[in-house]
């Protein structure tokens, strides 16, 4: 299960190459330069993969060029804080619940499926969580524990926590987008 809900099986199968901090910075810099020059429609489409809110993606694309990664991440946070409940609902509708690698034990799949169903029944949307910094072997335990904890939240408390998790997911996806763009990824 990856740190991001989308593309779960792909992210677990691919392990990033070890890179030095200077190489990573260079990839971010060149990737951000490429991202800044993409046509507006291409940038919006790529940003919609980071956060499913059209309003967020349009705003992020419109504020290009960004001088550095820190600025684009700050802009992402700001745009995320400004989302209306309908924008958050739109972003949540684009999310899929974190899932396990197909080789995980059947019992783990069943437990996770039941936990997701209980969460979606209570709150009306997919459970989202950012797992950045956690080893894949710890993902299922973290997700199950988080779902159990969050099922006890009142709807307002869970709405605020879900919005924060969405901002964290968007940040990680932007870093990935910029890094991939630095490796000559092109949306067209």
């Amino acid at each position: 299960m990856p740190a991001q809900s989308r593309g779960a099986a792909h992210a677990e199968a691919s392990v990033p190459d070890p890179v030095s901090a200077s190489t990573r910075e260079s990839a971010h810099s060149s990737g951000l330069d490429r991202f800044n020059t993409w046509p507006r429609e291409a940038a919006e489409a790529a940003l919609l993969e980071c956060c499913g809110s059209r309003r967020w993606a349009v705003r992020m694309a419109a504020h290009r060029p960004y001088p550095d990664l820190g600025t684009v991440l700050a802009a992402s946070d700001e745009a995320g804080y400004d989302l209306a409940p309908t924008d958050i609902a739109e972003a949540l509708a684009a999310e899929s619940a974190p899932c396990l690698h197909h080789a995980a034990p059947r019992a783990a799949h069943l437990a996770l499926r039941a936990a997701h169903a209980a969460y979606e029944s209570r709150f009306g949307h997919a459970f989202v969580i950012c797992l950045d910094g956690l080893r894949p072997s710890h993902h299922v335990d973290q997700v199950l524990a988080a779902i159990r904890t969050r099922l006890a939240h009142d709807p307002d408390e869970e709405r605020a926590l879900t919005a924060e998790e969405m901002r964290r997911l968007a940040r990680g996806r932007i870093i990935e987008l910029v890094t991939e763009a630095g490796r000559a990824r092109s949306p067209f």
Side-chain angles (χ1 to χ4, degrees):
M1 206 167 5
Q4 298 140 354
S5 299
R6 296 179 220 185
H10 172 72
E12 192 163 279
S14 63
V15 177
D17 297 328
V19 292
S20 69
S22 62
T23 303
R24 195 175 310 118
E25 232 173 79
S26 174
H28 288 165
S29 178
S30 63
L32 186 58
D33 290 344
R34 283 190 178 95
F35 169 75
N36 281 331
T37 62
W38 287 349
R40 181 186 48 79
E41 297 83 10
E44 287 175 10
L47 287 163
L48 274 170
E49 292 296 316
C50 298
C51 175
S53 164
R54 181 111 182 103
R55 182 171 173 241
W56 180 90
V58 166
R59 179 176 173 175
M60 291 292 297
H63 284 94
R64 292 174 309 142
Y66 294 101
D68 54 48
L69 182 60
T71 304
V72 73
L73 293 176
S76 171
D77 287 345
E78 183 180 332
Y81 284 116
D82 289 344
L83 292 178
T86 55
D87 300 318
I88 293 171
E90 178 185 32
L92 283 168
E95 292 294 324
S96 59
C99 60
L100 296 174
H101 187 273
H102 69 277
R106 180 167 162 44
H109 283 280
L110 292 174
L112 194 58
R113 195 172 313 133
H116 283 302
Y119 181 90
E120 288 182 26
S121 174
R122 173 141 165 75
F123 296 110
H125 59 79
F127 174 78
V128 292
I129 187 170
C130 182
L131 298 170
D132 289 347
L134 292 176
R135 293 172 25 171
S137 61
H138 295 159
H139 287 180
V140 69
D141 294 332
Q142 183 66 33
V143 170
L144 286 172
I147 289 175
R148 276 188 228 110
T149 299
R150 289 170 59 180
L151 278 170
H153 291 169
D154 66 60
D156 289 337
E157 182 181 17
E158 184 56 23
R159 192 173 7 267
L161 184 54
T162 296
E164 179 59 31
E165 290 296 321
M166 293 294 296
R167 284 187 291 277
R168 291 180 63 210
L169 286 168
R171 288 175 65 89
R173 292 169 180 165
I174 287 169
I175 292 168
E176 185 178 314
L177 172 70
V178 169
T179 300
E180 288 178 8
R183 293 184 187 131
R185 176 182 176 261
S186 174
F188 27 77

